[in-house]
């Protein structure tokens, strides 16, 4: 039997938005291709920069779309961001959270106290919320200018949906960057904490990072020293990948996840 791409690896670290689904619509064939990889014994971890939903909500959404998975296979930038703060702050430190209740819950799980005001906040944790507005950004700007530690769950400028590309967390990070002249620490891709922890959890020696974005998924893999597969079901194009310097290019490029079961 001839070798296929998945035979070269022991785990798949798979992006979500634009890779396996777009908003509420599944990418055709994604569930079946991942199921084939699981049947071959590969570890599976869904590694998402989206910090707006809890790991359980992400797992439930995947199951609704036809994926066989559980909360144990989900790693989010919300978890990574809260962990970064917990490593740097004393217990019960007050953290201004820009994001959803799910992000607040991750902060609380780490022994920190979430708040929605700059008063007393020693850190700011920023993730995407569809309800984020000027007042919340203003509170964060005050806190950051007063010296609060600033962590962004991710810096994705856009979010792939069934309606096309919409503003992502990175767009709001850019607004705060402009307002404060500060630069956040980043938990999600292309920073390495999220990917490294996912590989460690799986005890993977040869993980393959899969995603649709060159600036987050693929660059994150490069930064982490991992091989990568760019799928053309979301944001980035093959032409954009080809235009990159060799050291930043994805290891493989494929139309979709079906490339896993052949050689690209």
């Amino acid at each position: 039997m001839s070798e296929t791409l998945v035979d070269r690896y022991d785990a798949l670290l798979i992006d979500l938005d634009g890779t396996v689904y777009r908003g509420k619509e599944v990418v055709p064939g994604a569930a079946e291709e991942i199921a084939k990889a699981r049947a071959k014994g590969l570890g599976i971890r869904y590694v998402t920069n989206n910090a707006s939903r809890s790991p359980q909500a992400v797992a439930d959404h995947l199951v609704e779309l036809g994926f066989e998975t559980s909360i144990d296979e989900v790693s989010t930038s919300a978890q990574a961001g809260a962990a970064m703060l917990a490593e740097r702050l004393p217990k019960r430190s007050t953290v201004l959270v820009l994001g959803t209740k799910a992000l607040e819950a991750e902060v609380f799980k780490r022994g920190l106290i979430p708040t929605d005001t700059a008063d007393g906040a020693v850190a700011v944790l920023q993730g995407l919320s569809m309800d984020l507005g000027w007042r919340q950004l203003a509170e964060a700007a005050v806190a950051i200018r007063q010296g609060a530690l600033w962590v962004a769950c991710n810096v994705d400028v856009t979010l792939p949906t069934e309606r096309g590309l919409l503003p992502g967390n990175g767009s709001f990070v850019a607004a705060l960057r402009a307002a404060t002249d500060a630069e956040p620490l980043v938990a999600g891709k292309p920073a390495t904490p999220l990917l490294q922890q996912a590989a460690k959890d799986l005890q993977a020696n040869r993980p393959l990072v899969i995603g649709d974005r060159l600036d987050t998924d693929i660059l994150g893999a490069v930064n982490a020293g991992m091989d990568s597969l760019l799928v053309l079901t979301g944001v980035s194009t093959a032409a954009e990948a080809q235009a990159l310097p060799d050291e930043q290019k994805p290891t493989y490029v494929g139309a979709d996840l079906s490339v896993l079961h052949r050689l690209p």
Side-chain angles (χ1 to χ4, degrees):
M1 183 179 294
S2 61
E3 182 188 53
T4 64
L5 185 55
V6 291
D7 294 324
R8 299 176 177 178
Y9 301 97
D10 61 358
L12 303 180
L13 308 184
I14 309 167
D15 177 56
L16 291 179
D17 294 297
T19 301
V20 303
Y21 57 63
R22 292 181 288 261
K24 297 179 180 179
E25 295 180 357
V26 67
V27 172
E32 293 80 4
E33 302 301 339
I34 294 170
K36 290 179 189 176
R38 187 193 305 279
K40 285 195 169 188
L42 275 74
I44 303 295
R45 184 59 61 100
Y46 295 100
V47 183
T48 178
N49 265 4
N50 192 328
S52 64
R53 294 188 295 175
S54 70
Q56 186 63 64
V58 173
D60 290 345
H61 181 46
L62 285 167
V63 171
E64 289 171 2
L65 292 175
F67 295 84
E68 180 184 344
T69 191
S70 68
I71 189 174
D72 295 335
E73 290 187 340
V74 175
S75 295
T76 74
S77 66
Q79 293 171 307
M84 288 182 70
L85 288 179
E87 291 169 358
R88 292 165 170 80
L89 300 174
K91 289 284 189 181
R92 298 193 63 77
S93 293
T94 301
V95 178
L96 172 55
V97 177
L98 291 183
T100 63
K101 294 296 183 183
L103 184 56
E104 289 184 7
E106 293 299 334
V107 169
F108 189 76
K109 287 177 187 176
R110 293 287 179 168
L112 304 171
I113 307 301
T115 185
D116 60 1
T117 177
D119 298 339
V122 298
V124 173
L125 181 60
Q126 184 172 7
L128 182 64
S129 168
M130 306 306 180
D131 300 317
L132 187 65
W134 183 88
R135 293 186 184 280
Q136 294 94 333
L137 290 170
E139 290 297 315
V142 170
I144 293 166
R145 284 193 172 275
Q146 290 176 345
L149 174 64
W150 180 21
V151 173
C153 291
N154 68 78
V155 289
D156 293 19
V157 177
T158 58
L159 176 69
T161 75
E162 66 274 18
R163 297 180 64 195
L165 297 180
L166 302 180
N169 193 51
S171 294
F172 299 102
V173 169
L176 271 183
R177 188 186 286 121
T180 63
D181 295 320
E183 191 68 31
L185 299 176
V186 180
K189 303 166 286 185
T192 61
L194 182 57
L195 290 173
Q196 289 174 334
Q197 187 59 54
K200 182 179 178 181
D201 290 346
L202 289 171
Q203 299 182 323
N205 296 313
R206 303 184 316 280
L208 177 67
V209 178
I210 305 172
D212 70 299
R213 298 184 69 116
L214 292 168
D215 59 343
T216 54
D217 306 314
I218 305 307
L219 184 56
V222 170
N223 291 337
M226 301 175 183
D227 284 1
S228 62
L229 166 64
L230 174 71
V231 289
L232 306 178
T233 51
V235 174
S236 298
T237 67
E240 290 169 341
Q242 186 59 36
L244 288 173
D246 287 345
E247 65 273 14
Q248 294 181 18
K249 289 180 179 177
T251 314
Y252 314 100
V253 177
D256 53 37
L257 290 173
S258 65
V259 74
L260 290 170
H261 302 286
R262 57 180 187 273
L263 287 183

